[in-house]
């Protein structure tokens, strides 16, 4: 019983090209920031269980650490969005990437459970800040009829970065070893 929505009148449709979107410096920076946070998060989340298990922590402790990460990812998205709208997207997006990197350092180079769990939380909240601000920036700089496709380009790049980072992590660990 599905009935497709009516097509937009010709004057409301527009040609969309990702290359045209990427020529806009603010959008390109938003995509890069989002990809940096996404790639960082993918690497850290591949590593977290290994690092915690390597330090002798059980599945319950690993699950709790992942829970804090998930809380960081989603519990503060509304306040982060309001903050980005109020002070500027770059002022939330770029510090978000930095916070995610600080979290990655805590997960990778410390062996204390609470600092690793704090690191996973920081990776989550840093990812949320970068993702929310980048998405809002792209949405606000794109025509309404192109907005969904523009966000899709951002998500596709971030997804590609996530896959590449996760795939690279295993061989990197094999080659370098856990710290």
């Amino acid at each position: 019983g599905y009935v497709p929505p009516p097509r937009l009148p010709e004057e409301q449709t527009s040609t969309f090209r990702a290359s045209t979107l990427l020529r806009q410096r603010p959008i390109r920076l938003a995509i890069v920031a989002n990809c940096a946070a996404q790639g960082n998060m993918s690497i850290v989340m591949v590593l977290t269980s290994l690092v915690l298990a390597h330090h002798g922590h059980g599945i319950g402790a690993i699950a709790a650490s992942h829970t804090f990460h998930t809380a960081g990812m989603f519990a503060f998205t509304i306040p982060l969005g309001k903050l980005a709208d109020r002070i500027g997207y770059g002022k939330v997006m770029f510090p978000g990437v930095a916070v995610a990197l600080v979290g990655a350092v805590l997960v990778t180079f410390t062996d204390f459970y609470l600092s690793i769990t704090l690191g996973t939380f920081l990776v989550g909240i840093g990812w949320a800040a970068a993702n929310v601000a980048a998405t809002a920036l792209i949405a606000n700089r794109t025509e309404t009829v192109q907005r969904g496709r523009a966000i899709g380009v951002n998500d596709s790049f971030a997804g590609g970065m996530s896959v590449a980072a996760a795939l690279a992590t295993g061989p990197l660990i094999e080659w370098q070893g856990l710290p």
Side-chain angles (χ1 to χ4, degrees):
Y2 173 75
V3 177
R7 291 191 163 262
L8 292 173
E10 192 62 38
E11 65 272 8
Q12 289 183 354
T13 62
S14 63
T15 303
F16 178 83
R17 294 193 191 288
S19 60
T20 303
L21 180 74
L22 295 172
R23 283 190 202 116
Q24 298 178 49
R25 187 174 185 267
I27 289 178
R28 198 170 52 245
L29 286 173
I31 291 171
V32 167
N34 194 38
C35 285
Q38 184 72 35
N40 175 66
M41 184 175 68
S42 295
I43 290 170
V44 168
M45 295 320 292
V46 166
L47 284 175
T48 299
S49 297
L50 294 171
V51 168
L52 288 172
H54 181 76
H55 292 300
H57 298 288
I59 196 85
I62 293 169
S65 185
H66 282 279
T67 299
F68 279 99
H69 169 72
T70 303
M73 286 178 69
F74 299 112
F76 303 99
T77 54
I78 292 172
L80 286 168
K82 287 180 180 180
L83 183 64
D85 285 339
R86 191 174 64 226
I87 69 170
Y89 304 118
K91 291 179 180 178
V92 172
M93 185 171 55
F94 296 121
V97 173
V99 167
L101 290 172
V102 168
V105 168
L106 286 173
V107 170
T108 307
F109 297 111
T110 61
D111 57 2
F112 185 56
Y113 177 78
L114 291 178
S115 65
I116 293 170
T117 299
L118 174 63
T120 63
F121 175 79
L122 291 175
V123 167
I125 199 164
W127 171 86
N131 185 290
V132 166
T135 301
L137 185 151
I138 293 166
N140 286 336
R141 291 186 168 262
T142 307
E143 293 179 41
T144 303
V145 297
Q146 295 182 349
R147 194 166 292 147
R149 290 174 276 184
I151 298 301
V153 168
N154 180 45
D155 289 349
S156 294
F157 275 106
M161 177 59 80
S162 184
V163 169
L167 287 174
T169 302
L172 259 165
I173 292 171
E174 186 71 30
W175 173 68
Q176 190 65 30
L178 287 171

